[in-house]
Each structure stands twice: as C-alpha cells, then as structure tokens.
Amino acid sequence: MLNRRSLRIKGMQAIFAYHTAREAEYNICKQEAQEQFIPDLNSMEVQDKDELAKKRELTAKGFEILIHKGTDQLPEDISSDIMKVIKEAQQSYLNRLASNRDYLKKRMLSGITSIYDDYIKFLYIIVEIEQLIEVEKRKKNNTHNNFVKNVVINKLKNNEALEEERIRKKVAWDTDLIKAWYKEYIKPQEFFVEYDNLAKATLEDDQELVQTIYKSIIFKHDNVNDYFETLDIGWSENKPILKSMVLKTIKSIETEASEPLLMELSKNWDEDLLFLKELYDLAIDREAEYEAMIDQKSNNWEIDRVALTDKVILEMAIAEMTHFTSIPVKVTINEYIELSKLYSTPKSKQFVNGLLDVLSEDLQKEGQIKKSGRGLLDNK
C-alpha cells in the first residue's frame, strides 16, 4: 500500500522538477529578451552593433535584477525600450512558471493514481501466462496441467470485481511480450518444472508457485524490470508498493472457498491526497520564507551552495512541521533524514538532521509549530 513516505518521495521529485524547470525557463526568457536587440540582417538601415551589444548586456542585467530583486532595484536611468523588453520577459517567465507548476502537480497526482491501475494490470500477468500454457498443453494433447488447474490463478481469472476493474481500466498486455517472458524466464526455471511435474498440486503448491513467479521473475528479473523502467520513470519507487499489493491479494486466497481481496491504494486516500497537494503548494509558495530560515541557521553556509535536493527536502520538512498539526515533529525529521540518505549526497544526512533539529526547536519556541492529537505524541 501507498504510505506517507512514498507520498513525500513523489512530492520531492515533483518539487525538484519544478526548481529545475524554473532555472531553464529563467535562462530561456533572459535569452529571448536579449534577442530583441540582435542586429536585423534584413534591415535597410545602418545599425549600431556596439550599441545593440550593450543593450543586450543591460537587458540581461535588468532581467536578473527584476526577477531576483524587484522593480525598485532597477537602475533609474534604464531606457524605456529595455524596460519594455524585460517587463515582457518577466511576464513570460511568470506564465511559464505557473504552467510548469500546474503540469508537474497534475503529473505527480496522476503518477500516484496510476499505481492502482498497474496493480490491476499486474494481477493479470499470471492469468495471461496461464492462458499461454493452456494453449501449449492443448496442442500437445497433454491433459496433465497443474497450471491451468491452479486455484489461485482461477480465483483471479473468475473474480467479478477484478474483472470489472480490468474492463474499466482497459487492462491489456502485449501477448508476444508475455509469451517471451514465459519462454525465456519462467518455463526453464527449476521451480516451474517441479510444479508442472507434481502428480497433484495442492493449494499450498499453487500459492507458492504464483508467489515465486512474482517474486523471482516479475519483480526481480533484470530484463523484466528494465522493461518497466523504460515505461515508468518512478518504477524504483512504485515497485515495492505494487509488489506488496499483488502479493497480499495472492495470499488472501487461503482456501478454495476464498475470493481474492483487492487492495486499496491507501486506507485514507482523500486525506493522503490532500496532504500531498498541500505539501507541494506550501513548499513552492513559501519558498522564500523557508529559504530565509535555512540561510539563517546554516552556519554561514550560503543558501545557493546548498544542494538543490537538500534545499527541497528542508523546505518540505519545514512546511510539514509548521502546517500539519497531526504529524509529530520527530516523525517529520526522521522521514526527511531518510529521504536525504536515499536521494542526496553522502553528507546530507548530518546536514539535514542538524539543521532540522535547530529549526524545530526555534519554531516551537516562536509558536510556529503547533501540534494536536497524534501530533503531540513525540514532541515532549
């Protein structure tokens, strides 16, 4: 199932992408502004190339000041034509940022909801394999077919709720792909041959076979995983979630009378979704405020020298500590330390840990951290 750490990772990746896109948009808009003063090769009038070069330089400086410091910091003698160009560039820059922000937020949320679609699709891999084997056995007039009789697979294949989800989500696999995986990675395996040769497979045998195929092949084989990585940039984070959901459903078929239990992506989906949306928005909207806090407490380590991943992690942590009253401070700090260990530099753990400890203490003294209910558990 999807947990809060998974959500934080998705949020971190989306916010990191926003920062990266912002830097690119900044450079593009500055260049476009400078290009307004490139000599016009089609003009019949004599152009002062030195003057235009100077204007390009002043345009770049003016744009930088306008974006980073504001209109009131612009030189008073800036010419009207340069002012017009940099103002237009500023508006273009802000429009692009807003567009990127919305796009990345939607992509983040759709990437999460698609995990459930993939869960339904992954449950059908074993059904697709069973159908291939059934055809293969029929061609050889082989009536001994433990796989086709497998209780777990038949429960999945004949479950009405699962079939409804399959149709609703338009689940379909490339038959040639599944056939190749079966012939190359499953059929030659010793565990598969032993199962196929059993005189009569028990429910325990059925369970073990299906679980082994998922554990050893679908979620482990390098070539299979390489395929999924090409389709899903978040595969490394999504795989353990999918694996857990699939295996829990398989294990839920405990008797021949059992029906597969379909997993929920989250027990508190609406609450989790709101958490992620607000965390994303807070980290972007209050970046300047959080950045000032980090800069003040980072022992003369200038904010522009802090690794971008660390900066994103710290700003998310501050947003979480100050905004989400039901999450204990220690939980927040521990979670973002883990993220720094997984996604940032070797020294990030100590940096993030030390800074968040200091910030949490100061923010609590200032009354900016207020916890209630479960959020009070670890804050004494």
Side-chain angles (χ1 to χ4, degrees), residues 123-138 142-158 178 181-183 185-189 191-202 205-214 217-218 250:
L123 284 175
Y124 267 87
I125 289 181
I126 201 72
V127 176
E128 294 275 356
I129 294 170
E130 181 270 334
Q131 290 172 345
L132 288 172
I133 295 173
E134 184 177 11
V135 171
E136 184 180 84
K137 295 283 186 178
R138 194 184 304 129
N142 190 340
T143 57
H144 175 73
N145 195 343
N146 288 328
F147 211 97
V148 172
K149 298 173 186 176
N150 186 292
V151 173
V152 174
I153 298 172
N154 280 289
K155 288 290 184 179
L156 293 171
K157 184 167 65 173
N158 298 320
I178 300 298
W181 287 353
Y182 163 62
K183 288 185 176 180
Y185 311 136
I186 298 174
K187 189 176 180 180
Q189 296 292 330
F191 71 81
F192 180 83
V193 175
E194 289 178 354
Y195 173 82
D196 193 40
N197 289 333
L198 288 173
K200 184 178 180 181
T202 65
D205 296 324
D206 293 346
Q207 275 271 9
E208 184 178 355
L209 177 83
V210 176
Q211 288 185 44
T212 303
I213 288 174
Y214 277 106
I217 309 298
I218 305 304
I250 291 167

Side-chain angles (χ1 to χ4, degrees), residues 227-270:
Y227 169 79
F228 291 129
E229 283 181 352
T230 62
L231 299 179
D232 182 6
I233 194 172
W235 173 246
S236 61
E237 290 85 32
N238 294 344
K239 181 170 75 168
I241 301 169
L242 286 167
K243 182 179 178 181
S244 174
M245 292 173 72
V246 168
L247 292 178
K248 283 180 179 178
T249 295
I250 291 167
K251 290 175 184 177
S252 71
I253 306 170
E254 298 175 337
T255 68
E256 294 192 10
S258 300
E259 289 299 325
L261 178 63
L262 296 186
M263 299 292 112
E264 296 177 318
L265 189 56
S266 167
K267 288 184 178 179
N268 303 296
W269 176 239
D270 291 339

Side-chain angles (χ1 to χ4, degrees), residues 293-314:
M293 293 181 190
I294 297 166
D295 196 27
Q296 185 181 13
K297 300 297 180 183
S298 55
N299 297 325
N300 299 319
W301 187 264
E302 296 176 6
I303 192 67
D304 59 358
R305 293 174 61 201
V306 175
L308 178 55
T309 306
D310 290 349
K311 182 173 174 288
V312 170
I313 286 171
L314 289 166

Side-chain angles (χ1 to χ4, degrees), residues 47 84 97 120-121 170 188 207 212 254 289 338 358 375:
Q47 299 181 57
K84 180 177 181 293
L97 283 190
I120 298 299
K121 189 173 181 179
K170 299 178 181 179
Q207 275 271 9
T212 303
E254 298 175 337
E289 177 187 340
E338 286 301 311
V358 172

